[in-house]
Amino acid sequence: MAAKHPKRSTSFLPLKIIETILLNLPVESLLRFKTVSKSWNTMISDPAFVENHLHRSKTSSSRNLLLGKLGFSHYNSEDYSLVKIDKDRKLQTLQLSECPPGSNVVLSYCDGVLLLTNDRQTCMDFVLWNPSTGTHATFRFPYEVNPRSQKIYGLCHDPRTGGFKVVVVVCLNYFTVYSCKNNSWTRKKEFGDTSFLVVYDPHIFVDGVFYLLSMDPGRYLITYFDPVDDEIKILRKPEVFSDHLMIYMADLRGRLSVYCNANDGRGNAIRIWIKGEGVGNNYWEELITIENVPTYIWFFKPLCFVENKILIQLYSRRLVLYNPSEKTFEKFDIERYTVCQYFPYLDSLIDPGVFFPAPEKEEVVTEKLISCS
């Protein structure tokens, strides 16, 4: 008679609770946990999970991470550092990421994915790269363009397919749209006699569209590319901004913000306005006036909020925190190497290659050998 063994109690959590826990973890951990089991791999790879995790990243109260491009230092120029902003005003390097070889110029970014190229002037080869996962996908620009022509590049999601769209605006001429899902370029309308000129780079991706500051004869316009119908449209500016006033744009708290010199450029104060959520929301409110700015406005770039303070980039590479309550600028302790560019970092599971059509499999022809014996 076989001996009876006591039943081992098996405790487990429902998958819904496991999913809730995983949604709050960083991408680095999730990539490791995909190897725990087949069910975990399926869950983390599911497009709905990827989208929900992205939403958590966007709404996180601790978005104090930047992707810094290393400059004149002993590091390779293709290295990027993940920089955390500590409360004691120190910049802590968490890790180094190497972008795909030969493509180290950032043209645009959207939902944690960067649009890269090897040469801003020619830009014949493009790369979509997610530094969180290390995945990337490549494609080419099919049109011949004068290298001296001004070009602006944008990246956004196609709300119908979920894939990416890349827009290249060739100023004074036309713009083209690339659909990753269809792996095809579409050359859009000619601008004709209208002197359409994009005067601000980089643009801002919020509200599911990307915004550009453009110039029509005698006036500045806030325009945006709408990925629903692939058209460039005009957004109404705050009424306090005259047509001739030069303005700049930023993404603060996930909303479009515009800023300009206060008092018509007299003095060293900068006013910042913020737009209501949603591309169709034309409500604007004044956010803050920053006084005693230690540089010209074209060297001034608001990056994000750190608690109740504003992180600002000055002179292309210097970071400071503006304290609104005390109206002072707080300096950071910088590590020994130089960071020459900063980009908002968003923890994202998006794999750019998923949105491209799978390559067609070559038909394999097998020949049957006939014995001649």
Side-chain angles (χ1 to χ4, degrees):
M1 181 175 172
K4 291 184 178 180
H5 296 280
K7 291 184 178 180
R8 292 192 304 176
S9 60
T10 305
S11 61
F12 63 92
L13 292 173
L15 286 178
K16 192 63 180 177
I17 296 180
I18 294 177
E19 180 180 356
T20 302
I21 296 173
L22 294 179
L23 281 173
N24 290 278
L25 297 180
V27 168
E28 184 179 6
S29 299
L30 292 174
L31 294 179
R32 293 199 309 268
F33 290 159
K34 291 177 74 172
T35 63
V36 169
S37 67
K38 184 177 180 180
S39 61
W40 281 35
N41 181 39
T42 302
M43 179 191 300
I44 297 172
S45 303
D46 186 86
F49 183 92
V50 173
E51 183 177 351
N52 290 335
H53 184 270
L54 179 65
H55 178 72
R56 292 287 183 101
S57 296
K58 287 182 175 181
T59 56
S60 172
S61 59
S62 59
R63 287 182 60 182
N64 57 347
L65 295 176
L66 298 173
L67 190 68
K69 187 175 188 300
L70 302 182
F72 308 100
S73 66
H74 59 278
Y75 289 102
N76 187 286
S77 61
E78 294 186 354
D79 282 341
Y80 287 78
S81 62
L82 183 58
V83 179
K84 182 179 180 181
I85 305 163
D86 289 340
K87 293 182 180 179
D88 56 357
R89 299 196 309 276
K90 289 186 178 181
L91 299 182
Q92 177 186 358
T93 301
L94 302 184
Q95 65 188 51
L96 291 176
S97 301
E98 186 174 345
C99 65
S103 300
N104 61 347
V105 179
V106 178
L107 300 174
S108 184
Y109 47 85
C110 167
D111 289 347
V113 176
L114 277 66
L115 176 65
L116 307 175
T117 189
N118 57 345
D119 188 328
R120 175 176 283 272
Q121 296 301 319
T122 56
C123 285
M124 299 302 295
D125 297 290
F126 294 102
V127 176
L128 292 180
W129 174 52
N130 183 346
S132 299
T133 62
T135 54
H136 70 277
T138 61
F139 56 100
R140 286 184 58 81
F141 187 65
Y143 305 108
E144 291 186 6
V145 179
N146 188 337
R148 291 176 293 179
S149 299
Q150 183 191 11
K151 297 175 286 293
I152 300 297
Y153 307 89
L155 178 66
C156 61
H157 273 299
D158 184 342
R160 293 167 297 185
T161 67
F164 284 105
K165 283 188 174 179
V166 175
V167 182
V168 180
V169 179
V170 182
C171 295
L172 302 178
N173 291 297
Y174 61 90
F175 67 97
T176 63
V177 182
Y178 177 74
S179 169
C180 297
K181 199 72 173 180
N182 301 326
N183 192 22
S184 63
W185 287 90
T186 302
R187 181 161 170 160
K188 301 296 289 185
K189 65 181 181 182
E190 304 281 340
F191 294 130
D193 295 333
T194 60
S195 300
F196 186 89
L197 179 65
V198 178
V199 296
Y200 187 85
D201 186 27
H203 54 265
I204 304 299
F205 175 80
V206 291
D207 299 328
V209 302
F210 73 83
Y211 293 92
L212 312 96
L213 181 61
S214 309
M215 185 172 64
D216 208 23
R219 59 175 183 159
Y220 290 101
L221 306 172
I222 300 177
T223 60
Y224 63 93
F225 171 78
D226 189 343
V228 174
D229 55 13
D230 292 352
E231 294 294 338
I232 293 180
K233 303 174 181 178
I234 298 176
L235 178 75
R236 181 171 59 84
K237 295 186 299 184
E239 295 180 356
V240 297
F241 292 164
S242 61
D243 286 341
H244 69 275
L245 180 65
M246 181 64 182
I247 60 177
Y248 299 80
M249 299 189 298
D251 172 6
L252 294 176
R253 292 175 173 163
R255 294 163 63 181
L256 176 67
S257 303
V258 296
Y259 57 98
C260 65
N261 281 314
N263 305 319
D264 292 328
R266 297 187 299 270
N268 56 348
I270 292 178
R271 299 175 68 186
I272 302 179
W273 292 70
I274 192 166
K275 177 184 169 298
E277 292 185 26
V279 66
N281 189 340
N282 279 325
Y283 174 74
W284 293 88
E285 61 178 329
E286 187 168 5
L287 180 66
I288 192 174
T289 296
I290 299 180
E291 301 178 358
N292 303 316
V293 178
T295 184
Y296 296 108
I297 191 170
W298 49 84
F299 293 134
F300 176 96
K301 182 181 179 182
L303 294 176
C304 63
F305 272 88
V306 179
E307 297 181 348
N308 64 333
K309 301 176 183 179
I310 302 178
L311 180 66
I312 300 171
Q313 183 175 356
L314 302 175
Y315 308 110
S316 300
R317 61 187 61 181
R318 177 184 168 196
L319 291 181
V320 296
L321 273 177
Y322 180 74
N323 188 330
S325 59
E326 299 181 6
K327 297 183 178 180
T328 57
F329 292 90
E330 302 172 358
K331 298 180 180 180
F332 282 92
D333 291 334
I334 306 292
E335 295 187 9
R336 63 188 179 193
Y337 59 82
T338 302
V339 175
C340 58
Q341 285 181 290
Y342 291 97
F343 307 95
Y345 178 82
L346 192 62
D347 214 25
S348 170
L349 282 165
I350 294 177
D351 180 357
V354 170
F355 301 110
F356 288 77
E360 297 181 2
K361 295 183 179 180
E362 296 183 3
E363 184 179 356
V364 179
V365 179
T366 58
E367 296 182 359
K368 184 176 182 179
L369 297 178
I370 302 176
S371 176
C372 299
S373 57

